[in-house]
Amino acid sequence: MDAYQEPHLPNYMKDDKVTQETKSLMSSLPANKDFMGYGLYNYKGCWYYPNTLQAVLDVQKHFRPRNTDIILASLPKGGTTWLKSLVFAVVHREKYRENPQTHPLLSQNPHDLVPFLELELYANNQTPDLTKFPSPTIFSTHMHLNTLREAITKTSSPPCKIVYVCRNIKDTFVSGWHYRNMLHRTKMDEATFELMFNGYCSGVLLYGPYWEHVLSYWKQSLEDKKNVLFMRYEEIIEEPRAQVMRLAEFLDCPFTEEEEKSGSVEEILKLCSLRSLSNLEVNKKGTTRIGVDSNVFFRKGEVGDWKNHLTPHMAKTFDEIVECRLRGSGLVFQ
Ligand code: A3P
């Protein structure tokens, strides 16, 4: 069977939305295949499936953020779903204070509340209606900062805020492995696990290499602290309260003393916890607007799950690659 005919394959992995212009661009780009044989193209240092590349180009060409917009950025499996819920809950907290039972996070998947630019909005539409979302509008993306920057710098508004979340490569990889098994509705074998591991090590994976992506946002967060916040999944797990308060401070909506005393931060953490979200009917069934089942985004949410899956050699290889690639940047993973 042609790989692209596989049932349940989300649109972003396919190649049927590519324009003639993009096809001709693709013919000049470095090409490769992911661990399952799906074609990847390297555009400005980052790997994309054909339809994802098309949407990324459309975001660059047409998306012009307003300075009140908030963009959440991450690598897939880096904590995107959690960040989307937390930011939505923090930013819109006043609206649902009186009637918490009407909170949209109880009835909609976080990915449908905070749309992906390239995986949803611009996936099949060069001029999506961006006015239908509540203000301030929260968008999300997996795009590398250098690619996103083309859109940001072309806007006439002052820069918008960007929040980046990252996670150590070993857990990101293992989470990605489970995700792909769920996506393809199969249990892939050990040989395929190794192929995917090799893809991560060489950087050939959607939005990879990992280190280039992380570094692009890390460097900008040092240069522009007012507009770019760098967060870590592990830190949110370790000190959730402090990290949510940091997030609110950065987004210019700090918790008041009264809110702190009345348990507002804890309420948000509870609402956005893996346990609460994954137990909601809306997140147990159905499909998100990017064409991926809603339940696929929730699994264990632990730090160090890689120990259950990687051989000591694989773990060491990841550590060495990341240490080498990040050397001198000030960014360190334990
Ligand atoms: P695991 O596969 O390690 O469990 P992304 O949202 O970027 O796709 O990342 C998915 C990972 O984040 C999964 O990790 C998932 O379980 C975890 N996750 C999703 N929602 C979460 C939440 N509310 N709190 C903590 N972790 C969450």
Short mmCIF file of all heavy atoms in Angstrom, two decimals, residues 263-319:
data_model
loop_
_atom_site.label_atom_id
_atom_site.label_comp_id
_atom_site.label_asym_id
_atom_site.label_seq_id
_atom_site.Cartn_x
_atom_site.Cartn_y
_atom_site.Cartn_z
N GLY A 263 -6.74 30.80 46.15
CA GLY A 263 -6.46 29.50 45.53
C GLY A 263 -6.65 29.47 44.02
O GLY A 263 -6.83 28.40 43.43
N SER A 264 -6.59 30.66 43.39
CA SER A 264 -6.81 30.73 41.95
C SER A 264 -5.75 29.94 41.16
O SER A 264 -6.06 29.26 40.18
CB SER A 264 -6.82 32.20 41.56
OG SER A 264 -6.94 32.36 40.21
N VAL A 265 -4.51 30.02 41.63
CA VAL A 265 -3.42 29.30 40.92
C VAL A 265 -3.66 27.79 41.00
O VAL A 265 -3.57 27.07 40.00
CB VAL A 265 -2.04 29.65 41.52
CG1 VAL A 265 -0.92 29.01 40.72
CG2 VAL A 265 -1.84 31.15 41.62
N GLU A 266 -4.01 27.35 42.20
CA GLU A 266 -4.24 25.91 42.39
C GLU A 266 -5.42 25.42 41.54
O GLU A 266 -5.39 24.31 41.00
CB GLU A 266 -4.51 25.59 43.88
CG GLU A 266 -3.27 25.62 44.76
CD GLU A 266 -2.74 27.03 45.02
OE1 GLU A 266 -3.47 28.02 44.77
OE2 GLU A 266 -1.58 27.15 45.46
N GLU A 267 -6.45 26.26 41.43
CA GLU A 267 -7.61 25.86 40.62
C GLU A 267 -7.21 25.66 39.16
O GLU A 267 -7.65 24.70 38.52
CB GLU A 267 -8.68 26.96 40.67
CG GLU A 267 -9.63 26.79 41.83
CD GLU A 267 -10.47 28.04 42.05
OE1 GLU A 267 -10.79 28.73 41.07
OE2 GLU A 267 -10.78 28.31 43.22
N ILE A 268 -6.37 26.57 38.68
CA ILE A 268 -5.92 26.45 37.29
C ILE A 268 -5.09 25.17 37.12
O ILE A 268 -5.25 24.42 36.16
CB ILE A 268 -5.14 27.71 36.88
CG1 ILE A 268 -6.13 28.86 36.68
CG2 ILE A 268 -4.28 27.48 35.63
CD1 ILE A 268 -5.53 30.20 36.37
N LEU A 269 -4.22 24.93 38.09
CA LEU A 269 -3.38 23.73 37.99
C LEU A 269 -4.23 22.46 38.00
O LEU A 269 -3.94 21.51 37.26
CB LEU A 269 -2.37 23.69 39.14
CG LEU A 269 -1.21 24.67 39.00
CD1 LEU A 269 -0.41 24.77 40.28
CD2 LEU A 269 -0.30 24.23 37.84
N LYS A 270 -5.27 22.49 38.80
CA LYS A 270 -6.14 21.31 38.88
C LYS A 270 -6.89 21.12 37.56
O LYS A 270 -6.93 20.02 37.01
CB LYS A 270 -7.13 21.49 40.05
CG LYS A 270 -7.87 20.24 40.37
CD LYS A 270 -8.62 20.37 41.67
CE LYS A 270 -9.60 19.22 41.77
NZ LYS A 270 -10.87 19.59 42.33
N LEU A 271 -7.45 22.21 37.08
CA LEU A 271 -8.20 22.15 35.82
C LEU A 271 -7.33 21.62 34.67
O LEU A 271 -7.78 20.86 33.82
CB LEU A 271 -8.72 23.56 35.48
CG LEU A 271 -9.43 23.77 34.15
CD1 LEU A 271 -10.78 23.06 34.15
CD2 LEU A 271 -9.61 25.26 33.86
N CYS A 272 -6.06 22.05 34.67
CA CYS A 272 -5.15 21.70 33.56
C CYS A 272 -4.33 20.45 33.81
O CYS A 272 -3.45 20.12 33.01
CB CYS A 272 -4.20 22.87 33.27
SG CYS A 272 -5.06 24.37 32.83
N SER A 273 -4.58 19.79 34.93
CA SER A 273 -3.76 18.61 35.22
C SER A 273 -4.06 17.49 34.23
O SER A 273 -5.17 17.41 33.68
CB SER A 273 -4.02 18.13 36.65
OG SER A 273 -5.31 17.58 36.71
N LEU A 274 -3.10 16.64 34.03
CA LEU A 274 -3.25 15.51 33.11
C LEU A 274 -4.45 14.67 33.52
O LEU A 274 -5.26 14.24 32.69
CB LEU A 274 -1.96 14.69 33.11
CG LEU A 274 -1.93 13.48 32.20
CD1 LEU A 274 -2.05 13.86 30.75
CD2 LEU A 274 -0.66 12.69 32.41
N ARG A 275 -4.56 14.47 34.84
CA ARG A 275 -5.63 13.63 35.35
C ARG A 275 -7.00 14.23 35.01
O ARG A 275 -7.86 13.55 34.46
CB ARG A 275 -5.46 13.48 36.86
CG ARG A 275 -6.56 12.70 37.51
CD ARG A 275 -6.34 12.71 38.97
NE ARG A 275 -5.70 11.46 39.36
CZ ARG A 275 -6.04 10.79 40.44
NH1 ARG A 275 -6.92 11.28 41.26
NH2 ARG A 275 -5.48 9.66 40.73
N SER A 276 -7.19 15.53 35.31
CA SER A 276 -8.50 16.14 35.03
C SER A 276 -8.80 16.13 33.54
O SER A 276 -9.89 15.71 33.12
CB SER A 276 -8.58 17.59 35.49
OG SER A 276 -8.12 17.73 36.76
N LEU A 277 -7.84 16.60 32.75
CA LEU A 277 -8.12 16.72 31.32
C LEU A 277 -8.37 15.37 30.67
O LEU A 277 -9.29 15.20 29.88
CB LEU A 277 -6.96 17.44 30.60
CG LEU A 277 -6.76 18.92 30.94
CD1 LEU A 277 -5.57 19.49 30.17
CD2 LEU A 277 -8.00 19.74 30.62
N SER A 278 -7.55 14.38 31.04
CA SER A 278 -7.68 13.10 30.35
C SER A 278 -8.96 12.36 30.77
O SER A 278 -9.40 11.43 30.09
CB SER A 278 -6.45 12.22 30.59
OG SER A 278 -6.30 11.99 31.96
N ASN A 279 -9.57 12.77 31.89
CA ASN A 279 -10.82 12.13 32.32
C ASN A 279 -12.07 12.76 31.74
O ASN A 279 -13.17 12.26 31.95
CB ASN A 279 -10.92 12.14 33.85
CG ASN A 279 -10.18 10.95 34.43
OD1 ASN A 279 -10.22 9.86 33.85
ND2 ASN A 279 -9.47 11.15 35.52
N LEU A 280 -11.90 13.86 31.04
CA LEU A 280 -13.06 14.52 30.45
C LEU A 280 -13.52 13.78 29.19
O LEU A 280 -12.69 13.34 28.39
CB LEU A 280 -12.71 15.97 30.05
CG LEU A 280 -12.40 16.92 31.20
CD1 LEU A 280 -11.81 18.22 30.66
CD2 LEU A 280 -13.66 17.21 32.00
N GLU A 281 -14.84 13.65 29.05
CA GLU A 281 -15.40 12.95 27.89
C GLU A 281 -14.83 13.49 26.58
O GLU A 281 -14.46 12.74 25.68
CB GLU A 281 -16.93 13.09 27.86
CG GLU A 281 -17.64 12.07 28.74
CD GLU A 281 -17.16 10.65 28.54
OE1 GLU A 281 -17.24 10.15 27.41
OE2 GLU A 281 -16.69 10.03 29.53
N VAL A 282 -14.72 14.84 26.51
CA VAL A 282 -14.29 15.47 25.26
C VAL A 282 -12.87 15.06 24.87
O VAL A 282 -12.53 15.02 23.68
CB VAL A 282 -14.40 17.02 25.36
CG1 VAL A 282 -13.44 17.57 26.40
CG2 VAL A 282 -14.16 17.66 24.02
N ASN A 283 -12.08 14.71 25.87
CA ASN A 283 -10.70 14.32 25.57
C ASN A 283 -10.52 12.80 25.47
O ASN A 283 -9.41 12.31 25.23
CB ASN A 283 -9.75 14.90 26.62
CG ASN A 283 -9.72 16.41 26.57
OD1 ASN A 283 -9.86 16.98 25.49
ND2 ASN A 283 -9.56 17.05 27.71
N LYS A 284 -11.60 12.07 25.70
CA LYS A 284 -11.51 10.60 25.62
C LYS A 284 -11.90 10.10 24.24
O LYS A 284 -11.51 9.03 23.84
CB LYS A 284 -12.47 9.97 26.64
CG LYS A 284 -11.96 10.01 28.06
CD LYS A 284 -12.89 9.14 28.88
CE LYS A 284 -12.74 9.40 30.36
NZ LYS A 284 -13.84 8.84 31.12
N LYS A 285 -12.73 10.88 23.57
CA LYS A 285 -13.18 10.40 22.25
C LYS A 285 -13.18 11.56 21.24
O LYS A 285 -12.96 12.70 21.62
CB LYS A 285 -14.56 9.77 22.36
CG LYS A 285 -15.59 10.66 23.03
CD LYS A 285 -16.94 9.99 23.04
CE LYS A 285 -18.01 11.04 23.20
NZ LYS A 285 -18.69 11.19 24.39
N GLY A 286 -13.41 11.22 20.00
CA GLY A 286 -13.47 12.25 18.96
C GLY A 286 -12.09 12.59 18.42
O GLY A 286 -11.07 12.02 18.84
N THR A 287 -12.11 13.51 17.51
CA THR A 287 -10.88 13.87 16.79
C THR A 287 -10.67 15.38 16.87
O THR A 287 -11.63 16.13 16.77
CB THR A 287 -11.04 13.46 15.30
OG1 THR A 287 -11.45 12.10 15.26
CG2 THR A 287 -9.75 13.60 14.53
N THR A 288 -9.45 15.79 17.06
CA THR A 288 -9.16 17.23 17.10
C THR A 288 -9.16 17.78 15.67
O THR A 288 -9.12 17.00 14.71
CB THR A 288 -7.77 17.50 17.72
OG1 THR A 288 -6.80 16.80 16.95
CG2 THR A 288 -7.69 17.05 19.16
N ARG A 289 -9.13 19.11 15.57
CA ARG A 289 -9.22 19.68 14.22
C ARG A 289 -7.98 19.44 13.38
O ARG A 289 -8.00 19.67 12.17
CB ARG A 289 -9.55 21.17 14.32
CG ARG A 289 -11.03 21.40 14.65
CD ARG A 289 -11.47 22.79 14.25
NE ARG A 289 -10.77 23.78 15.01
CZ ARG A 289 -11.22 24.35 16.11
NH1 ARG A 289 -12.41 24.04 16.57
NH2 ARG A 289 -10.50 25.23 16.75
N ILE A 290 -6.89 18.97 13.99
CA ILE A 290 -5.74 18.64 13.15
C ILE A 290 -5.82 17.20 12.64
O ILE A 290 -4.90 16.70 11.98
CB ILE A 290 -4.38 18.91 13.84
CG1 ILE A 290 -4.18 18.02 15.07
CG2 ILE A 290 -4.21 20.36 14.19
CD1 ILE A 290 -2.73 18.02 15.57
N GLY A 291 -6.91 16.54 12.97
CA GLY A 291 -7.12 15.19 12.44
C GLY A 291 -6.50 14.08 13.27
O GLY A 291 -6.32 12.97 12.79
N VAL A 292 -6.18 14.39 14.51
CA VAL A 292 -5.58 13.39 15.40
C VAL A 292 -6.57 13.14 16.54
O VAL A 292 -7.19 14.08 17.04
CB VAL A 292 -4.23 13.93 15.97
CG1 VAL A 292 -3.66 12.97 17.00
CG2 VAL A 292 -3.24 14.16 14.84
N ASP A 293 -6.73 11.88 16.95
CA ASP A 293 -7.68 11.56 18.02
C ASP A 293 -7.37 12.35 19.28
O ASP A 293 -6.20 12.50 19.67
CB ASP A 293 -7.62 10.05 18.35
CG ASP A 293 -8.27 9.22 17.26
OD1 ASP A 293 -8.87 9.82 16.34
OD2 ASP A 293 -8.16 7.98 17.31
N SER A 294 -8.41 12.81 19.96
CA SER A 294 -8.25 13.68 21.13
C SER A 294 -7.46 13.00 22.26
O SER A 294 -6.70 13.66 22.98
CB SER A 294 -9.61 14.07 21.68
OG SER A 294 -10.42 14.55 20.66
N ASN A 295 -7.65 11.70 22.43
CA ASN A 295 -7.02 11.04 23.58
C ASN A 295 -5.52 10.80 23.40
O ASN A 295 -4.81 10.51 24.36
CB ASN A 295 -7.72 9.70 23.86
CG ASN A 295 -7.56 8.73 22.71
OD1 ASN A 295 -7.18 9.12 21.61
ND2 ASN A 295 -7.85 7.46 22.96
N VAL A 296 -5.04 10.96 22.18
CA VAL A 296 -3.64 10.64 21.87
C VAL A 296 -2.66 11.61 22.55
O VAL A 296 -1.49 11.30 22.73
CB VAL A 296 -3.49 10.65 20.31
CG1 VAL A 296 -2.06 10.72 19.87
CG2 VAL A 296 -4.17 9.44 19.72
N PHE A 297 -3.19 12.76 22.96
CA PHE A 297 -2.30 13.78 23.56
C PHE A 297 -2.07 13.57 25.05
O PHE A 297 -1.32 14.32 25.67
CB PHE A 297 -2.88 15.18 23.30
CG PHE A 297 -2.90 15.51 21.85
CD1 PHE A 297 -4.05 15.35 21.10
CD2 PHE A 297 -1.74 15.93 21.20
CE1 PHE A 297 -4.07 15.62 19.73
CE2 PHE A 297 -1.75 16.21 19.84
CZ PHE A 297 -2.92 16.06 19.11
N PHE A 298 -2.75 12.61 25.63
CA PHE A 298 -2.62 12.39 27.08
C PHE A 298 -2.11 10.98 27.34
O PHE A 298 -2.72 10.02 26.89
CB PHE A 298 -3.99 12.58 27.76
CG PHE A 298 -4.63 13.90 27.42
CD1 PHE A 298 -5.58 13.99 26.41
CD2 PHE A 298 -4.28 15.05 28.11
CE1 PHE A 298 -6.18 15.20 26.08
CE2 PHE A 298 -4.87 16.27 27.79
CZ PHE A 298 -5.82 16.35 26.78
N ARG A 299 -1.03 10.88 28.08
CA ARG A 299 -0.52 9.55 28.40
C ARG A 299 -0.10 9.54 29.86
O ARG A 299 -0.90 9.66 30.74
CB ARG A 299 0.62 9.19 27.42
CG ARG A 299 0.92 7.69 27.34
CD ARG A 299 2.05 7.39 26.36
NE ARG A 299 3.31 8.01 26.71
CZ ARG A 299 4.27 7.43 27.45
NH1 ARG A 299 4.12 6.21 27.86
NH2 ARG A 299 5.38 8.10 27.73
N LYS A 300 1.23 9.49 30.12
CA LYS A 300 1.69 9.38 31.50
C LYS A 300 2.05 10.73 32.12
O LYS A 300 1.85 10.96 33.30
CB LYS A 300 2.96 8.53 31.52
CG LYS A 300 2.77 7.05 31.61
CD LYS A 300 4.16 6.45 31.79
CE LYS A 300 4.13 5.00 32.15
NZ LYS A 300 5.52 4.48 32.25
N GLY A 301 2.71 11.56 31.31
CA GLY A 301 3.12 12.87 31.80
C GLY A 301 4.14 12.80 32.92
O GLY A 301 4.05 13.53 33.90
N GLU A 302 5.11 11.91 32.77
CA GLU A 302 6.13 11.76 33.82
C GLU A 302 7.49 12.23 33.32
O GLU A 302 7.78 12.15 32.13
CB GLU A 302 6.26 10.29 34.21
CG GLU A 302 5.11 9.82 35.06
CD GLU A 302 5.16 8.32 35.29
OE1 GLU A 302 6.16 7.66 34.90
OE2 GLU A 302 4.17 7.81 35.86
N VAL A 303 8.32 12.62 34.27
CA VAL A 303 9.70 12.93 33.92
C VAL A 303 10.51 11.65 34.13
O VAL A 303 10.40 11.01 35.18
CB VAL A 303 10.25 14.07 34.83
CG1 VAL A 303 11.73 14.32 34.54
CG2 VAL A 303 9.44 15.34 34.64
N GLY A 304 11.25 11.25 33.11
CA GLY A 304 12.12 10.07 33.26
C GLY A 304 11.50 8.77 32.76
O GLY A 304 12.07 7.70 33.01
N ASP A 305 10.39 8.84 32.05
CA ASP A 305 9.80 7.61 31.51
C ASP A 305 10.75 6.94 30.51
O ASP A 305 10.63 5.75 30.22
CB ASP A 305 8.44 7.93 30.85
CG ASP A 305 7.69 6.67 30.44
OD1 ASP A 305 7.75 5.67 31.18
OD2 ASP A 305 7.05 6.67 29.36
N TRP A 306 11.70 7.72 30.00
CA TRP A 306 12.67 7.16 29.04
C TRP A 306 13.39 5.96 29.63
O TRP A 306 13.80 5.05 28.90
CB TRP A 306 13.67 8.22 28.59
CG TRP A 306 14.50 8.85 29.68
CD1 TRP A 306 14.24 10.00 30.35
CD2 TRP A 306 15.73 8.35 30.22
NE1 TRP A 306 15.21 10.26 31.28
CE2 TRP A 306 16.15 9.26 31.22
CE3 TRP A 306 16.54 7.23 29.97
CZ2 TRP A 306 17.32 9.09 31.96
CZ3 TRP A 306 17.70 7.05 30.70
CH2 TRP A 306 18.08 7.98 31.69
N LYS A 307 13.52 5.95 30.96
CA LYS A 307 14.26 4.83 31.59
C LYS A 307 13.59 3.49 31.32
O LYS A 307 14.23 2.44 31.37
CB LYS A 307 14.36 5.04 33.10
CG LYS A 307 15.29 6.20 33.45
CD LYS A 307 15.35 6.46 34.93
CE LYS A 307 16.06 7.78 35.16
NZ LYS A 307 15.47 8.61 36.20
N ASN A 308 12.29 3.53 31.06
CA ASN A 308 11.56 2.28 30.78
C ASN A 308 11.67 1.83 29.33
O ASN A 308 11.14 0.78 28.97
CB ASN A 308 10.07 2.46 31.11
CG ASN A 308 9.86 2.81 32.57
OD1 ASN A 308 10.48 2.20 33.44
ND2 ASN A 308 9.03 3.81 32.83
N HIS A 309 12.31 2.64 28.51
CA HIS A 309 12.30 2.33 27.07
C HIS A 309 13.66 2.35 26.39
O HIS A 309 13.90 1.60 25.46
CB HIS A 309 11.37 3.31 26.33
CG HIS A 309 9.96 3.23 26.80
ND1 HIS A 309 9.07 2.31 26.31
CD2 HIS A 309 9.28 3.94 27.73
CE1 HIS A 309 7.89 2.45 26.91
NE2 HIS A 309 8.00 3.44 27.77
N LEU A 310 14.55 3.25 26.83
CA LEU A 310 15.83 3.39 26.14
C LEU A 310 16.87 2.46 26.75
O LEU A 310 16.90 2.27 27.98
CB LEU A 310 16.35 4.83 26.25
CG LEU A 310 15.51 5.94 25.63
CD1 LEU A 310 16.18 7.29 25.85
CD2 LEU A 310 15.31 5.70 24.14
N THR A 311 17.74 1.91 25.93
CA THR A 311 18.86 1.15 26.48
C THR A 311 19.86 2.17 27.05
O THR A 311 19.84 3.35 26.65
CB THR A 311 19.58 0.35 25.36
OG1 THR A 311 20.12 1.31 24.43
CG2 THR A 311 18.63 -0.60 24.64
N PRO A 312 20.74 1.74 27.96
CA PRO A 312 21.74 2.68 28.49
C PRO A 312 22.56 3.32 27.36
O PRO A 312 22.89 4.50 27.42
CB PRO A 312 22.62 1.80 29.39
CG PRO A 312 21.72 0.66 29.79
CD PRO A 312 20.81 0.42 28.62
N HIS A 313 22.82 2.54 26.31
CA HIS A 313 23.60 3.08 25.20
C HIS A 313 22.83 4.19 24.48
O HIS A 313 23.40 5.24 24.14
CB HIS A 313 23.96 1.95 24.22
CG HIS A 313 24.69 2.45 23.01
ND1 HIS A 313 25.99 2.93 23.07
CD2 HIS A 313 24.28 2.59 21.72
CE1 HIS A 313 26.34 3.33 21.86
NE2 HIS A 313 25.34 3.14 21.02
N MET A 314 21.56 3.97 24.26
CA MET A 314 20.73 5.00 23.59
C MET A 314 20.68 6.27 24.43
O MET A 314 20.82 7.38 23.91
CB MET A 314 19.30 4.48 23.38
CG MET A 314 19.15 3.48 22.28
SD MET A 314 17.46 2.80 22.33
CE MET A 314 17.31 2.22 20.65
N ALA A 315 20.49 6.10 25.73
CA ALA A 315 20.40 7.27 26.62
C ALA A 315 21.71 8.07 26.59
O ALA A 315 21.71 9.30 26.50
CB ALA A 315 20.09 6.81 28.05
N LYS A 316 22.82 7.32 26.61
CA LYS A 316 24.13 7.97 26.60
C LYS A 316 24.34 8.72 25.27
O LYS A 316 24.85 9.84 25.25
CB LYS A 316 25.22 6.90 26.79
CG LYS A 316 26.61 7.42 26.99
CD LYS A 316 27.50 6.32 27.58
CE LYS A 316 28.95 6.72 27.59
NZ LYS A 316 29.65 6.46 26.35
N THR A 317 23.92 8.07 24.20
CA THR A 317 24.06 8.72 22.89
C THR A 317 23.28 10.03 22.84
O THR A 317 23.80 11.06 22.41
CB THR A 317 23.56 7.76 21.77
OG1 THR A 317 24.25 6.53 21.91
CG2 THR A 317 23.80 8.34 20.39
N PHE A 318 22.04 10.00 23.31
CA PHE A 318 21.24 11.24 23.34
C PHE A 318 21.94 12.31 24.19
O PHE A 318 22.05 13.47 23.79
CB PHE A 318 19.86 10.96 23.94
CG PHE A 318 18.80 10.61 22.92
CD1 PHE A 318 17.76 9.74 23.25
CD2 PHE A 318 18.79 11.19 21.66
CE1 PHE A 318 16.76 9.42 22.33
CE2 PHE A 318 17.79 10.88 20.73
CZ PHE A 318 16.79 10.00 21.08
N ASP A 319 22.41 11.90 25.37
CA ASP A 319 23.06 12.87 26.28
C ASP A 319 24.27 13.51 25.59
O ASP A 319 24.47 14.73 25.67
CB ASP A 319 23.53 12.18 27.57
CG ASP A 319 22.35 11.84 28.47
OD1 ASP A 319 21.26 12.40 28.25
OD2 ASP A 319 22.52 11.01 29.39
#
